[in-house]
């Protein structure tokens, strides 16, 4: 959700900052297959074949985050990718510390108007009884009644900001150009 907002905000602000969308086509990403495999794995684990938390499902989910983080680190010289890597690392840290689940605060879930989940299937975000590193979990919310109401983490905010910077950097926007000393 935050990624879509970040992309939309970048697209709207790009012309104002002198960015050129066609520049994004010439962006050379290293190891892009890693990001593709990571995203496909998450879709399969969470939606295509949902089910109970098993060792293989947990392993595949954590490995998908690790693969995405490797992709981001491989491209860290590009604008925004260090911020993206930091956001992904924080999310991976808290998810790993909580056996594959991003802990959500009950208050944030309530503010977003979401129903607490207890479906018995593997969930990527859930209210946990005793979460580890809870402050890095989904503790913030877009309130119920707003478009895209949901919960999100500090890592998610960094990912969104990183996407914004990456789009502006890739499009050679004035926001990301280095100024002469």
């Amino acid at each position: 959700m935050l990624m879509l907002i970040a992309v939309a905000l970048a697209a709207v602000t790009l012309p104002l900052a002198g960015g050129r969308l066609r520049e994004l086509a010439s962006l050379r990403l290293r190891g892009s297959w890693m990001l593709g495999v990571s995203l496909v794995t998450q879709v399969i684990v969470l939606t295509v074949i949902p089910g109970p938390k098993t060792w293989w499902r947990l392993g595949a989910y954590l490995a998908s985050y690790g693969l995405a983080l490797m992709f981001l680190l491989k491209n860290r010289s590009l604008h925004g990718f260090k911020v993206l890597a930091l956001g992904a690392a924080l999310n991976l840290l808290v998810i790993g510390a909580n056996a594959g689940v991003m802990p959500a605060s009950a208050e944030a879930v309530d503010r977003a108007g979401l129903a607490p989940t207890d479906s018995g299937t593997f969930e990527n975000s859930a209210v946990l009884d005793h979460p580890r590193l809870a402050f890095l979990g989904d503790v913030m919310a877009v309130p119920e009644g707003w478009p895209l109401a949901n919960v999100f983490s500090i890592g998610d905010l960094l990912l969104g900001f990183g996407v914004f910077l990456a789009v502006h950097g890739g499009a050679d926007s004035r926001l990301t150009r280095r100024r002469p000393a």
Side-chain angles (χ1 to χ4, degrees), residues 46 53 58 61-62 65 90-104 117 121-129 131-134 136-138:
L46 295 171
K53 186 189 250 184
L58 175 60
Y61 188 65
L62 290 175
Y65 265 91
L90 290 176
N91 281 352
L92 178 57
L93 176 67
V94 70
I95 288 169
N98 289 283
V101 178
M102 173 66 81
T117 57
T121 61
F122 180 67
E123 301 286 339
N124 64 334
S125 177
V127 176
L128 302 176
D129 290 333
R132 293 182 175 102
L133 303 173
L136 292 176
D138 288 338

Side-chain angles (χ1 to χ4, degrees), residues 11 13 23 64 67 93 98 111 138 157 160:
T13 58
E23 292 293 322
S64 74
L67 205 53
L93 176 67
N98 289 283
R111 266 195 318 274
D138 288 338
L157 282 177

Side-chain angles (χ1 to χ4, degrees), residues 72-150:
L72 294 171
L73 290 173
K74 218 170 180 20
N75 292 285
R76 68 186 173 278
S77 63
L78 299 174
H79 284 285
F81 275 69
K82 287 179 185 168
V83 176
L84 283 163
L86 178 59
L90 290 176
N91 281 352
L92 178 57
L93 176 67
V94 70
I95 288 169
N98 289 283
V101 178
M102 173 66 81
S105 79
E107 295 80 17
V109 169
D110 187 52
R111 266 195 318 274
L114 303 174
T117 57
D118 190 17
S119 62
T121 61
F122 180 67
E123 301 286 339
N124 64 334
S125 177
V127 176
L128 302 176
D129 290 333
H130 303 290
R132 293 182 175 102
L133 303 173
F135 68 99
L136 292 176
D138 288 338
V139 296
M140 296 171 271
V142 174
E144 181 178 17
W146 285 55
L148 305 173
N150 207 342

